[in-house]
Amino acid sequence: MVRRLIIGISGASGFQYGVKALELLRAQDVETHLVVSKGAEMARASETAYARDEVYALADFVHPIGNIGACIASGTFKTDGMLVAPCSMRTLASVAHGFGDNLLTRAADVVLKERRRLVLMVRETPLNLAHLDNMKRVTEMGGVVFPPVPAMYRKPQTADDIVTHSVAHALSLFGIDTPDSAEWQGMAD
Ligand SMILES: Cc1cc2nc3c(=O)[nH]c(=O)nc-3n(C[C@H](O)[C@H](O)[C@H](O)COP(=O)(O)O)c2cc1C
């Protein structure tokens, strides 16, 4: 069976995380289904030089955020799960409370109800109690809360290194290995 991953990009800072996930998955035998929120489109325009179509071209399938009848809105459409990169606090809250108020949050809701893998690269700082409570709720439902915290032990040289390391680690949670998901070999004794 074909491996399928849903990539959600929501309106937190770090649109690049979603783009990096799509780029890394191009080299993998994984079918990608992309859904981008309206907030993410604002973040793209504000923070990056990417054109919308340039990003869409990286995915195998792109689903409009308002199309709650898309295939990924149904549990009968088999996937290996969903990565939301980055995940805004609004999207986190919607997932935590099962609102399914757009295609991105509906797809995440489906992934949770079908007991598939959901990884949320949540991005906000500092955090208020609503954010923390919502992360706890998603964790209790089986989702993985994965803030893209820089891994300094990997000695990143560029911002792109930092983004790549985080996304490669997040993809490894789906059993997807990339050249950037090398295991830590430990320090010399
Ligand atoms: C440039 C920009 C950066 C933002 N950064 C964040 C952020 O880091 N975290 C966050 O939770 N919201 C952030 N927001 C606010 C969200 O985009 C906003 O709450 C939006 O309603 C989220 O909707 P969505 O989850 O459907 O994308 C940002 C907004 C803009 C325009």
Side-chain angles (χ1 to χ4, degrees):
M1 201 189 82
V2 63
R3 296 203 66 188
R4 288 188 184 127
L5 203 60
I6 306 168
I7 304 297
I9 307 183
S10 68
S13 186
F15 187 88
Q16 294 87 341
Y17 287 98
V19 174
K20 183 60 69 180
L22 292 168
E23 287 175 346
L24 293 179
L25 288 167
R26 295 281 288 178
Q28 303 285 326
D29 193 17
V30 178
E31 181 181 291
T32 52
H33 289 256
L34 173 66
V35 55
V36 181
S37 76
K38 293 194 175 107
E41 292 292 359
M42 287 184 69
R44 175 187 58 75
S46 157
E47 295 184 342
T48 82
Y50 290 114
R52 193 187 70 161
D53 290 349
E54 185 185 357
V55 176
Y56 284 10
L58 294 170
D60 294 309
F61 297 91
V62 180
H63 304 284
I65 189 74
N67 183 13
I68 44 132
C71 55
I72 58 173
S74 170
T76 60
F77 186 77
K78 305 265 190 323
T79 71
D80 293 282
M82 179 171 185
L83 172 68
V84 184
C87 181
S88 75
M89 295 302 104
R90 197 209 73 81
T91 287
L92 169 71
S94 178
V95 173
H97 294 274
F99 288 152
D101 50 353
N102 63 37
L103 181 61
L104 195 161
T105 55
R106 167 63 185 168
D109 196 63
V110 167
V111 164
L112 286 178
K113 86 181 173 70
E114 300 292 336
R115 308 300 195 266
R116 297 172 187 152
R117 177 68 97 190
L118 176 68
V119 178
L120 304 182
M121 297 189 86
V122 295
R123 196 278 150 199
E124 189 47 279
T125 195
L127 300 166
N128 66 31
L129 185 56
H131 304 152
L132 293 165
D133 274 347
N134 289 334
M135 289 184 206
K136 177 170 176 284
R137 283 182 67 86
V138 169
T139 302
E140 285 168 344
M141 288 190 279
V144 179
V145 174
F146 188 122
V149 179
M152 293 307 179
Y153 66 92
R154 302 283 306 268
K155 300 188 172 64
Q157 302 298 304
T158 64
D160 188 67
D161 286 350
I162 291 172
V163 172
T164 303
H165 293 159
S166 282
V167 174
H169 190 169
L171 291 176
S172 75
L173 297 175
F174 296 90
I176 297 169
D177 288 327
T178 67
D180 299 288
S181 50
E183 291 177 348
W184 174 248
Q185 298 301 320
M187 295 174 72
D189 293 334

